[in-house]
Amino acid sequence: MSSTTFAGRLRPGRRQHRRGIGASSRQEIRIRPFVEGDAPQVRALFIAVNRLLAPPDLRDAFEAYFTRSLAEEIDRIDVYYGAREGGFWVAHSGDLIVGTFGLERAEGQAMELRRMYVDPAARRAGIARQMLQFAEEECRRRDIPRLELSTSELQQAALALYRQAGYLLLREEVVETASNKTVGGGIRRYYFAKTL
């Protein structure tokens, strides 16, 4: 499966108008594999979403996380995901990237969903649900029977989406150590999986 399309309604907001997304029109959203020309928008979306998530007392930890994640992963997507038998995709409306997600090989017969972000100005249009369905279909296409993922206590909408989509909570833990996958800093993380 190389791409998919759906029509979603994007929320009104100044950012949408500034970036060329009309508040009252239906926008066709397409999902396709990442190409190098997407890098600046993917980088900007990663930083914007994570800055919105950063609690005031953890701003320095988030800035360190951005630096590490950009260097190890986001600024080298093809290398990073290629080395992990995965891939990276973008959801876009015209030339505007409104969402991202990646898949990387996990232990056993599983893939891990990574970096599923939606532009804050484009939320509540079903984009995250569409990307999740696409990721599940990609796993099926690769004959991978299980999709795993994690998210933090800071992402309540993501927690609700995964539960609604049939993901089972495997464990939760407070993560103190930072990596390119976690900020650390004592944030609670939730680990989910779904048999496809």
Side-chain angles (χ1 to χ4, degrees):
M1 179 182 279
S2 60
S3 71
T4 189
T5 305
F6 84 107
R9 186 165 302 281
L10 302 178
R11 288 192 320 180
R14 288 175 295 177
R15 187 170 182 192
Q16 291 170 330
H17 294 293
R18 186 172 64 242
R19 293 177 80 181
I21 298 175
S24 63
S25 64
R26 278 194 117 23
Q27 299 294 322
E28 184 174 80
I29 305 299
R30 292 186 173 270
I31 298 173
R32 62 162 171 76
F34 169 88
V35 295
E36 197 56 43
D38 298 329
Q41 285 190 69
V42 168
R43 185 181 216 274
L45 180 59
F46 167 76
I47 293 170
V49 168
N50 281 286
R51 280 206 172 124
L52 285 174
L53 291 172
D57 62 323
L58 288 177
R59 285 216 171 98
D60 289 343
F62 268 82
E63 291 299 322
Y65 169 69
F66 301 155
T67 300
R68 181 175 188 165
S69 296
L70 291 169
E72 293 180 15
E73 182 180 348
I74 302 299
D75 288 342
R76 48 191 299 271
I77 284 174
D78 285 336
V79 172
Y80 181 90
Y81 286 93
R84 289 159 177 79
E85 301 176 45
F88 199 87
W89 291 264
V90 297
H92 65 97
S93 176
D95 293 334
L96 179 63
I97 292 175
V98 294
T100 66
F101 67 96
L103 291 171
E104 70 178 64
R105 190 70 127 154
E107 290 184 20
Q109 287 290 324
M111 294 293 278
E112 180 183 358
L113 180 70
R114 301 284 320 287
R115 304 298 183 197
M116 193 163 90
Y117 298 123
V118 176
D119 184 320
R123 290 183 179 160
R124 298 221 175 280
I127 296 168
R129 186 172 308 281
Q130 186 69 15
M131 291 191 300
L132 184 59
Q133 290 171 349
F134 188 103
E136 291 173 358
E137 286 301 317
E138 180 65 17
C139 289
R140 289 183 188 103
R141 188 186 70 72
R142 295 179 183 211
D143 294 321
I144 304 291
R146 180 179 165 100
L147 184 56
E148 299 175 353
L149 56 89
S150 68
T151 193
S152 79
E153 63 186 311
L154 303 175
Q155 297 167 289
Q156 292 298 313
L159 285 165
L161 170 67
Y162 299 139
R163 287 180 173 123
Q164 284 179 338
Y167 284 78
L168 300 177
L169 180 64
L170 302 176
R171 73 184 192 284
E172 58 184 85
E173 66 186 17
V174 175
V175 179
E176 298 294 341
T177 306
S179 73
N180 72 302
K181 293 185 178 187
T182 64
V183 174
I187 296 174
R188 183 170 299 279
R189 291 199 65 79
Y190 299 87
Y191 297 84
F192 293 87
K194 181 178 180 180
T195 300
L196 305 173

